[in-house]
Amino acid sequence: MAEEKELTFSGDEVNEELWRQIETRRDIERLVIWGGPITNERLAPLSRLTWLTGLVLGEMPVDDGVFVHLRPLRGLSYLNLAYTGVKGDFAPLLGAPLRDVRLEGCRRVGDACARSLAQFPTLRNVEMHMTGLTDEGLAALAPLSLEVLW
């Protein structure tokens, strides 16, 4: 199996020049942006990175509005939104081959998110600790063939 190619940077570094550079890097499979005052609007260029299979947006004030920018990423299998403001309405991503979704510390995530994730039969790993998930949400995830539920 080939090694995944990852590009990592701080949200403080995000600017138009950086987006232009990333757009030329078709060899990158996973993009990691961690921290910083990044808003949904500043992440609009993500919609042009259609070849990505993995994305990490952590510790930033984005919410479910970011999903519209992720919709064109039809090959997205790994998504980590740890410590963001998402509630977790994954409907805009339906049809994407999501296998691994990580929502650690997303305080607004709860049972509605679990019901949304249950629509992705390809899911194998779900990380929802330190969220508002209850037994009702766990029941919604039960039909999935999960390998890891944290």
Coordinates of all heavy atoms in Angstrom, one line a residue, residues 10-94:
S10 N -0.9 25.4 9.9 CA -1.7 26.1 10.9 C -2.7 27.0 10.2 O -2.4 27.6 9.1 CB -0.8 27.0 11.8 OG -1.6 27.9 12.5
G11 N -3.9 27.1 10.8 CA -4.9 28.0 10.2 C -4.5 29.4 10.2 O -4.9 30.2 9.3
D12 N -3.5 29.8 11.0 CA -3.0 31.2 10.9 C -2.2 31.5 9.6 O -2.0 32.6 9.3 CB -2.0 31.4 12.1 CG -2.7 31.4 13.4 OD1 -3.9 31.9 13.5 OD2 -2.1 30.9 14.4
E13 N -1.8 30.4 8.9 CA -1.1 30.6 7.7 C -2.0 30.7 6.5 O -1.5 30.9 5.4 CB -0.1 29.4 7.5 CG 0.9 29.2 8.6 CD 1.6 27.9 8.5 OE1 2.4 27.8 7.5 OE2 1.5 27.0 9.3
V14 N -3.3 30.5 6.6 CA -4.2 30.4 5.5 C -4.3 31.8 4.8 O -4.7 32.8 5.5 CB -5.6 29.9 5.9 CG1 -6.6 30.0 4.7 CG2 -5.4 28.5 6.4
N15 N -4.0 31.9 3.5 CA -4.2 33.1 2.7 C -4.4 32.6 1.3 O -4.2 31.5 1.0 CB -3.1 34.1 2.9 CG -1.7 33.5 2.5 OD1 -1.6 32.8 1.5 ND2 -0.7 33.8 3.3
E16 N -4.7 33.6 0.4 CA -4.9 33.2 -1.0 C -3.7 32.6 -1.7 O -3.9 31.7 -2.5 CB -5.4 34.5 -1.8 CG -6.8 34.9 -1.4 CD -7.8 33.8 -1.6 OE1 -7.8 33.1 -2.6 OE2 -8.6 33.5 -0.6
E17 N -2.5 33.1 -1.3 CA -1.3 32.5 -1.9 C -1.2 31.0 -1.5 O -0.8 30.2 -2.4 CB -0.1 33.3 -1.5 CG 1.2 32.7 -2.0 CD 1.3 32.6 -3.5 OE1 0.7 33.4 -4.2 OE2 2.0 31.7 -4.0
L18 N -1.4 30.7 -0.3 CA -1.3 29.3 0.2 C -2.3 28.5 -0.6 O -2.0 27.4 -1.0 CB -1.5 29.2 1.7 CG -1.4 27.8 2.3 CD1 0.0 27.3 2.1 CD2 -1.8 27.9 3.7
W19 N -3.6 28.9 -0.7 CA -4.6 28.2 -1.5 C -4.1 27.9 -2.9 O -4.3 26.8 -3.4 CB -5.9 28.9 -1.5 CG -6.7 28.8 -0.2 CD1 -7.1 29.9 0.6 CD2 -7.1 27.6 0.5 NE1 -7.8 29.4 1.7 CE2 -7.8 28.0 1.7 CE3 -7.0 26.3 0.3 CZ2 -8.3 27.1 2.6 CZ3 -7.5 25.4 1.2 CH2 -8.2 25.8 2.3
R20 N -3.5 28.9 -3.5 CA -3.0 28.7 -4.9 C -1.9 27.7 -4.9 O -1.9 26.8 -5.9 CB -2.5 30.0 -5.5 CG -3.6 31.0 -6.0 CD -3.1 32.2 -6.8 NE -2.3 33.1 -6.0 CZ -2.9 34.1 -5.2 NH1 -4.2 34.2 -5.2 NH2 -2.1 34.9 -4.5
Q21 N -1.0 27.7 -4.0 CA 0.0 26.6 -3.9 C -0.6 25.2 -3.7 O -0.1 24.3 -4.3 CB 1.0 27.0 -2.8 CG 1.9 28.2 -3.0 CD 2.7 28.5 -1.8 OE1 2.9 27.8 -0.9 NE2 3.2 29.7 -1.8
I22 N -1.5 25.1 -2.8 CA -2.2 23.8 -2.5 C -2.9 23.3 -3.8 O -2.8 22.1 -4.1 CB -3.2 23.9 -1.4 CG1 -2.4 24.3 -0.1 CG2 -3.9 22.6 -1.2 CD1 -3.3 24.6 1.1
E23 N -3.5 24.2 -4.5 CA -4.2 23.8 -5.7 C -3.3 23.1 -6.8 O -3.8 22.4 -7.6 CB -5.0 24.9 -6.3 CG -6.2 25.3 -5.6 CD -6.9 26.5 -6.2 OE1 -7.3 26.4 -7.4 OE2 -7.2 27.4 -5.5
T24 N -2.0 23.4 -6.7 CA -1.1 22.8 -7.7 C -0.5 21.5 -7.2 O 0.1 20.8 -7.9 CB 0.1 23.8 -7.9 OG1 0.9 23.9 -6.7 CG2 -0.3 25.1 -8.4
R25 N -0.9 21.1 -6.0 CA -0.3 19.9 -5.3 C -1.3 18.7 -5.5 O -1.9 18.2 -4.5 CB 0.0 20.1 -3.9 CG 1.1 21.2 -3.6 CD 2.4 20.7 -4.0 NE 2.8 19.4 -3.5 CZ 3.3 19.2 -2.3 NH1 3.6 20.2 -1.5 NH2 3.6 17.9 -1.9
R26 N -1.5 18.2 -6.7 CA -2.4 17.1 -6.9 C -1.9 15.8 -6.3 O -2.6 14.8 -6.2 CB -2.6 16.9 -8.4 CG -3.2 18.0 -9.1 CD -4.7 18.1 -8.8 NE -5.3 19.2 -9.3 CZ -6.5 19.2 -9.9 NH1 -7.2 18.1 -9.9 NH2 -7.0 20.3 -10.4
D27 N -0.6 15.8 -5.8 CA -0.1 14.6 -5.1 C -0.6 14.5 -3.7 O -0.5 13.4 -3.1 CB 1.4 14.6 -5.2 CG 2.0 15.8 -4.5 OD1 1.5 16.9 -4.6 OD2 3.0 15.6 -3.7
I28 N -1.1 15.6 -3.1 CA -1.6 15.6 -1.7 C -2.9 14.8 -1.6 O -3.8 15.1 -2.4 CB -1.7 17.0 -1.2 CG1 -0.4 17.7 -1.2 CG2 -2.3 17.1 0.2 CD1 0.7 17.1 -0.4
E29 N -3.0 13.9 -0.7 CA -4.2 13.1 -0.5 C -5.0 13.7 0.7 O -6.2 13.6 0.7 CB -3.9 11.7 -0.3 CG -3.3 11.0 -1.6 CD -2.8 9.6 -1.3 OE1 -3.0 9.1 -0.3 OE2 -2.1 9.1 -2.2
R30 N -4.2 14.1 1.8 CA -4.8 14.5 3.0 C -4.3 15.9 3.3 O -3.1 16.1 3.3 CB -4.5 13.6 4.2 CG -5.2 14.0 5.5 CD -4.9 13.1 6.6 NE -5.5 11.7 6.4 CZ -5.5 10.8 7.2 NH1 -5.0 10.9 8.4 NH2 -6.1 9.6 7.0
L31 N -5.2 16.8 3.6 CA -4.9 18.2 4.0 C -5.3 18.4 5.5 O -6.4 18.0 5.9 CB -5.7 19.2 3.2 CG -5.5 20.6 3.5 CD1 -4.0 21.1 3.2 CD2 -6.4 21.5 2.6
V32 N -4.3 18.9 6.3 CA -4.5 19.1 7.7 C -4.4 20.6 8.0 O -3.3 21.2 7.7 CB -3.5 18.4 8.6 CG1 -3.7 18.7 10.0 CG2 -3.6 16.9 8.3
I33 N -5.4 21.3 8.5 CA -5.4 22.7 8.9 C -5.8 22.6 10.4 O -6.9 22.2 10.7 CB -6.3 23.6 8.1 CG1 -6.0 23.4 6.6 CG2 -6.1 25.0 8.6 CD1 -7.0 24.2 5.7
W34 N -4.9 23.0 11.3 CA -5.2 22.9 12.7 C -5.0 24.3 13.3 O -4.0 24.9 13.2 CB -4.2 21.9 13.4 CG -4.7 21.5 14.7 CD1 -4.4 22.1 15.9 CD2 -5.7 20.5 14.9 NE1 -5.1 21.5 16.9 CE2 -5.9 20.5 16.3 CE3 -6.4 19.6 14.1 CZ2 -6.8 19.6 16.9 CZ3 -7.2 18.7 14.7 CH2 -7.4 18.7 16.1
G35 N -6.1 24.7 14.0 CA -6.1 25.9 14.8 C -6.3 27.2 13.9 O -6.3 27.2 12.7
G36 N -6.4 28.3 14.6 CA -6.5 29.6 14.0 C -7.9 30.1 13.9 O -8.9 29.3 14.1
P37 N -8.1 31.3 13.5 CA -9.4 32.0 13.4 C -10.1 31.7 12.1 O -10.6 32.6 11.5 CB -9.0 33.4 13.6 CG -7.7 33.6 13.0 CD -7.0 32.3 13.3
I38 N -10.1 30.5 11.6 CA -10.6 30.2 10.3 C -12.1 30.1 10.4 O -12.7 29.4 11.2 CB -10.1 28.8 9.8 CG1 -8.6 28.8 9.8 CG2 -10.6 28.5 8.4 CD1 -8.0 29.8 8.8
T39 N -12.8 30.7 9.5 CA -14.3 30.7 9.4 C -14.7 29.9 8.2 O -13.8 29.6 7.3 CB -14.9 32.1 9.3 OG1 -14.3 32.7 8.1 CG2 -14.5 33.0 10.5
N40 N -15.9 29.5 8.1 CA -16.4 28.8 6.9 C -16.1 29.5 5.6 O -15.6 28.8 4.7 CB -18.0 28.7 7.0 CG -18.4 27.9 8.2 OD1 -17.7 27.0 8.7 ND2 -19.6 28.2 8.7
E41 N -16.2 30.8 5.6 CA -16.0 31.5 4.3 C -14.6 31.4 3.9 O -14.3 31.3 2.7 CB -16.4 33.0 4.5 CG -17.9 33.2 4.7 CD -18.3 32.9 6.2 OE1 -17.5 33.0 7.1 OE2 -19.5 32.4 6.3
R42 N -13.6 31.4 4.8 CA -12.2 31.3 4.5 C -11.8 30.0 4.0 O -10.7 29.8 3.4 CB -11.3 31.7 5.6 CG -11.4 33.2 5.9 CD -10.4 33.8 6.9 NE -9.1 33.5 6.5 CZ -8.1 33.3 7.4 NH1 -8.3 33.5 8.7 NH2 -6.8 33.1 7.0
L43 N -12.7 29.0 4.1 CA -12.5 27.6 3.7 C -13.1 27.3 2.3 O -13.1 26.2 1.8 CB -12.9 26.6 4.7 CG -12.0 26.7 6.0 CD1 -12.7 25.8 7.1 CD2 -10.6 26.2 5.7
A44 N -13.7 28.3 1.7 CA -14.4 28.1 0.4 C -13.5 27.5 -0.6 O -13.9 26.7 -1.4 CB -15.0 29.5 -0.1
P45 N -12.2 27.8 -0.7 CA -11.3 27.2 -1.7 C -11.2 25.7 -1.5 O -10.7 25.0 -2.5 CB -9.9 27.9 -1.4 CG -10.3 29.2 -0.9 CD -11.5 29.0 0.0
L46 N -11.6 25.1 -0.4 CA -11.5 23.7 -0.3 C -12.3 23.0 -1.4 O -12.0 21.9 -1.9 CB -12.1 23.2 1.1 CG -11.2 23.4 2.3 CD1 -12.0 23.1 3.6 CD2 -10.0 22.5 2.2
S47 N -13.4 23.7 -1.9 CA -14.3 23.1 -2.9 C -13.5 22.8 -4.2 O -14.0 22.0 -5.0 CB -15.5 24.0 -3.1 OG -15.1 25.2 -3.7
R48 N -12.4 23.5 -4.4 CA -11.6 23.3 -5.6 C -10.6 22.1 -5.4 O -9.9 21.7 -6.4 CB -10.8 24.6 -5.9 CG -11.8 25.7 -6.2 CD -11.1 26.9 -6.8 NE -10.0 27.5 -6.0 CZ -10.1 28.5 -5.2 NH1 -11.3 29.2 -5.1 NH2 -9.1 29.0 -4.5
L49 N -10.4 21.5 -4.3 CA -9.5 20.5 -4.0 C -10.2 19.1 -4.1 O -10.1 18.3 -3.2 CB -8.8 20.6 -2.6 CG -8.2 22.0 -2.4 CD1 -7.6 22.1 -1.0 CD2 -7.2 22.4 -3.4
T50 N -10.8 18.9 -5.2 CA -11.7 17.7 -5.4 C -11.0 16.4 -5.3 O -11.6 15.3 -5.2 CB -12.4 17.8 -6.8 OG1 -11.4 17.9 -7.8 CG2 -13.3 19.1 -6.8
W51 N -9.7 16.3 -5.4 CA -8.9 15.1 -5.4 C -8.6 14.6 -4.0 O -8.2 13.5 -3.8 CB -7.6 15.2 -6.2 CG -6.7 16.2 -5.6 CD1 -5.7 16.0 -4.6 CD2 -6.7 17.6 -5.9 NE1 -5.1 17.2 -4.3 CE2 -5.7 18.2 -5.0 CE3 -7.4 18.5 -6.7 CZ2 -5.4 19.6 -5.1 CZ3 -7.1 19.8 -6.8 CH2 -6.1 20.4 -5.9
L52 N -8.9 15.4 -3.0 CA -8.6 15.0 -1.6 C -9.4 13.8 -1.1 O -10.6 13.7 -1.4 CB -8.8 16.2 -0.6 CG -7.9 17.4 -0.7 CD1 -8.4 18.4 0.4 CD2 -6.5 17.0 -0.4
T53 N -8.7 12.9 -0.4 CA -9.4 11.8 0.2 C -9.5 12.0 1.7 O -10.2 11.2 2.4 CB -8.7 10.5 -0.1 OG1 -7.4 10.5 0.3 CG2 -8.8 10.2 -1.6
G54 N -8.7 12.9 2.3 CA -8.7 13.1 3.7 C -8.6 14.6 4.0 O -7.9 15.3 3.4
L55 N -9.3 15.0 5.1 CA -9.3 16.4 5.5 C -9.4 16.5 7.0 O -10.3 15.8 7.6 CB -10.5 17.1 4.8 CG -10.6 18.6 5.2 CD1 -9.4 19.4 4.7 CD2 -11.9 19.2 4.6
V56 N -8.6 17.3 7.6 CA -8.6 17.6 9.0 C -8.8 19.1 9.2 O -7.9 19.9 8.6 CB -7.3 17.2 9.8 CG1 -7.4 17.6 11.2 CG2 -7.1 15.7 9.6
L57 N -9.8 19.6 9.9 CA -10.0 21.0 10.2 C -10.3 21.0 11.7 O -11.4 20.6 12.2 CB -11.3 21.5 9.5 CG -11.2 21.5 8.0 CD1 -12.6 21.9 7.4 CD2 -10.1 22.3 7.4
G58 N -9.3 21.3 12.5 CA -9.4 21.1 13.9 C -9.1 22.4 14.7 O -8.4 23.3 14.2
E59 N -9.8 22.5 15.8 CA -9.7 23.7 16.7 C -9.9 25.0 16.0 O -9.0 25.9 16.0 CB -8.3 23.7 17.5 CG -8.3 22.6 18.5 CD -7.1 22.8 19.4 OE1 -6.3 23.8 19.3 OE2 -6.9 21.9 20.3
M60 N -11.0 25.1 15.3 CA -11.3 26.4 14.6 C -12.8 26.6 14.7 O -13.6 25.7 14.9 CB -10.8 26.4 13.2 CG -11.4 25.2 12.4 SD -10.7 25.2 10.7 CE -9.0 24.9 10.9
P61 N -13.2 27.9 14.6 CA -14.7 28.2 14.8 C -15.6 28.0 13.6 O -16.4 28.8 13.3 CB -14.6 29.7 15.2 CG -13.4 30.2 14.4 CD -12.4 29.1 14.5
V62 N -15.4 26.8 12.9 CA -16.3 26.5 11.8 C -17.5 25.8 12.3 O -17.4 25.2 13.4 CB -15.6 25.7 10.7 CG1 -14.4 26.5 10.1 CG2 -15.1 24.4 11.2
D63 N -18.6 25.8 11.5 CA -19.8 25.1 11.9 C -20.3 24.3 10.7 O -19.5 24.1 9.7 CB -20.8 26.0 12.5 CG -21.2 27.1 11.5 OD1 -21.1 26.9 10.3 OD2 -21.7 28.2 12.0
D64 N -21.5 23.9 10.7 CA -22.0 23.1 9.6 C -22.0 23.8 8.3 O -22.1 23.1 7.2 CB -23.5 22.6 9.9 CG -23.5 21.5 10.9 OD1 -22.5 21.2 11.6 OD2 -24.6 20.8 11.1
G65 N -21.8 25.1 8.3 CA -21.7 25.8 7.0 C -20.5 25.4 6.2 O -20.4 25.7 5.0
V66 N -19.5 24.8 6.8 CA -18.3 24.3 6.1 C -18.7 23.2 5.1 O -18.0 23.0 4.1 CB -17.2 23.9 7.1 CG1 -17.5 22.6 7.7 CG2 -15.9 23.9 6.4
F67 N -19.8 22.4 5.4 CA -20.1 21.3 4.6 C -20.3 21.6 3.1 O -20.1 20.8 2.2 CB -21.2 20.5 5.1 CG -20.9 19.7 6.4 CD1 -21.6 20.0 7.6 CD2 -19.9 18.8 6.4 CE1 -21.2 19.4 8.8 CE2 -19.5 18.1 7.6 CZ -20.2 18.4 8.8
V68 N -20.9 22.8 2.8 CA -21.1 23.2 1.5 C -19.8 23.3 0.7 O -19.8 22.9 -0.5 CB -21.9 24.5 1.4 CG1 -21.1 25.7 1.8 CG2 -22.4 24.8 0.0
H69 N -18.7 23.6 1.3 CA -17.4 23.7 0.7 C -16.8 22.3 0.5 O -15.9 22.1 -0.4 CB -16.5 24.6 1.4 CG -17.0 25.9 1.7 ND1 -17.5 26.7 0.7 CD2 -17.1 26.6 2.9 CE1 -17.9 27.9 1.3 NE2 -17.7 27.8 2.6
L70 N -17.3 21.3 1.2 CA -16.8 20.0 1.2 C -17.5 19.1 0.2 O -17.1 18.0 -0.2 CB -16.8 19.3 2.5 CG -16.1 20.0 3.7 CD1 -16.1 19.2 4.9 CD2 -14.7 20.5 3.3
R71 N -18.7 19.5 -0.2 CA -19.6 18.8 -1.1 C -18.8 18.3 -2.4 O -19.0 17.1 -2.8 CB -20.8 19.6 -1.5 CG -21.8 18.8 -2.3 CD -23.0 19.5 -2.7 NE -23.8 19.8 -1.4 CZ -24.5 20.9 -1.2 NH1 -24.7 21.8 -2.2 NH2 -25.1 21.1 -0.1
P72 N -18.0 19.1 -3.0 CA -17.4 18.7 -4.3 C -16.3 17.6 -4.0 O -15.8 17.0 -5.0 CB -16.7 20.0 -4.8 CG -17.5 21.1 -4.2 CD -17.9 20.6 -2.9
L73 N -15.9 17.3 -2.8 CA -14.8 16.4 -2.5 C -15.5 15.0 -2.5 O -15.7 14.4 -1.4 CB -14.2 16.7 -1.2 CG -13.1 17.8 -1.2 CD1 -13.8 19.2 -1.6 CD2 -12.5 18.0 0.2
R74 N -15.8 14.5 -3.6 CA -16.6 13.2 -3.8 C -15.8 12.0 -3.4 O -16.4 10.9 -3.2 CB -17.1 13.1 -5.2 CG -18.0 14.2 -5.7 CD -19.0 14.7 -4.7 NE -19.9 13.6 -4.2 CZ -20.7 13.7 -3.1 NH1 -20.6 14.7 -2.3 NH2 -21.4 12.7 -2.8
G75 N -14.5 12.1 -3.2 CA -13.6 10.9 -2.8 C -13.3 11.0 -1.4 O -12.5 10.2 -0.9
L76 N -13.9 11.9 -0.6 CA -13.5 12.1 0.8 C -13.9 10.8 1.6 O -15.0 10.5 1.7 CB -14.2 13.3 1.3 CG -13.7 13.9 2.6 CD1 -12.3 14.4 2.4 CD2 -14.6 15.0 3.1
S77 N -12.9 10.2 2.2 CA -13.1 9.0 3.0 C -12.7 9.3 4.5 O -13.2 8.5 5.4 CB -12.3 7.8 2.5 OG -10.9 8.0 2.6
Y78 N -11.9 10.3 4.8 CA -11.5 10.6 6.1 C -11.8 12.1 6.4 O -11.4 12.9 5.7 CB -10.0 10.3 6.3 CG -9.5 10.8 7.7 CD1 -9.6 10.0 8.8 CD2 -8.8 12.0 7.8 CE1 -9.1 10.4 10.0 CE2 -8.3 12.4 9.0 CZ -8.5 11.6 10.1 OH -8.0 12.0 11.4
L79 N -12.5 12.3 7.5 CA -12.9 13.7 7.9 C -12.8 13.9 9.4 O -13.4 13.2 10.1 CB -14.3 14.0 7.4 CG -14.8 15.5 7.7 CD1 -13.9 16.5 7.0 CD2 -16.2 15.6 7.2
N80 N -11.9 14.8 9.8 CA -11.7 15.0 11.2 C -12.0 16.5 11.4 O -11.4 17.4 10.9 CB -10.2 14.8 11.6 CG -10.0 15.0 13.0 OD1 -10.6 15.7 13.7 ND2 -8.9 14.3 13.5
L81 N -13.1 16.8 12.3 CA -13.5 18.1 12.6 C -13.4 18.4 14.1 O -14.3 19.0 14.7 CB -14.9 18.3 12.1 CG -15.1 18.2 10.6 CD1 -16.6 18.1 10.2 CD2 -14.4 19.3 9.8
A82 N -12.4 17.8 14.7 CA -12.3 17.9 16.2 C -12.2 19.3 16.7 O -11.6 20.2 16.1 CB -11.0 17.1 16.6
Y83 N -12.9 19.5 17.8 CA -12.9 20.8 18.5 C -13.4 22.0 17.6 O -12.8 23.0 17.6 CB -11.6 21.1 19.1 CG -11.2 20.0 20.1 CD1 -10.3 19.0 19.7 CD2 -11.8 20.0 21.4 CE1 -10.0 18.0 20.6 CE2 -11.4 19.0 22.3 CZ -10.6 18.0 21.9 OH -10.2 17.0 22.8
T84 N -14.4 21.7 16.8 CA -15.0 22.8 16.0 C -16.5 23.0 16.5 O -16.9 22.3 17.4 CB -15.0 22.4 14.5 OG1 -15.9 21.3 14.3 CG2 -13.6 22.1 14.0
G85 N -17.2 23.9 15.9 CA -18.6 24.2 16.2 C -19.6 23.4 15.4 O -20.8 23.9 15.4
V86 N -19.2 22.4 14.7 CA -20.2 21.6 13.9 C -21.2 20.9 14.8 O -20.9 20.5 15.9 CB -19.5 20.6 13.0 CG1 -18.6 21.3 12.0 CG2 -18.8 19.5 13.7
K87 N -22.4 20.9 14.3 CA -23.5 20.0 14.9 C -23.5 18.7 14.2 O -23.9 17.7 14.8 CB -24.9 20.7 14.7 CG -25.1 21.9 15.6 CD -26.5 22.4 15.4 CE -26.8 23.6 16.2 NZ -28.1 24.1 16.0
G88 N -23.1 18.6 13.0 CA -22.9 17.4 12.3 C -24.0 16.9 11.3 O -24.4 15.8 11.3
D89 N -24.6 17.9 10.6 CA -25.5 17.5 9.5 C -24.7 17.2 8.3 O -24.3 18.1 7.5 CB -26.5 18.7 9.3 CG -27.5 18.4 8.2 OD1 -27.5 17.2 7.6 OD2 -28.3 19.2 7.8
F90 N -24.5 15.9 8.1 CA -23.6 15.5 7.0 C -24.3 15.3 5.7 O -23.8 14.8 4.7 CB -22.9 14.1 7.4 CG -21.8 14.4 8.4 CD1 -22.0 14.5 9.7 CD2 -20.5 14.4 7.9 CE1 -21.0 14.7 10.6 CE2 -19.4 14.6 8.8 CZ -19.7 14.7 10.1
A91 N -25.6 15.7 5.6 CA -26.4 15.5 4.4 C -25.7 16.0 3.1 O -25.8 15.4 2.1 CB -27.8 16.2 4.5
P92 N -25.0 17.2 3.2 CA -24.4 17.7 1.9 C -23.3 16.7 1.4 O -22.9 16.8 0.3 CB -23.7 19.0 2.3 CG -24.5 19.5 3.5 CD -24.9 18.2 4.2
L93 N -22.8 15.8 2.2 CA -21.8 14.9 1.8 C -22.3 13.5 1.4 O -21.5 12.6 1.1 CB -20.7 14.7 2.9 CG -20.0 16.0 3.4 CD1 -19.0 15.7 4.5 CD2 -19.4 16.7 2.3
L94 N -23.6 13.3 1.4 CA -24.2 12.0 1.0 C -23.6 11.6 -0.3 O -23.5 12.4 -1.3 CB -25.7 12.1 1.0 CG -26.4 12.0 2.3 CD1 -27.9 12.2 2.2 CD2 -26.1 10.7 3.0

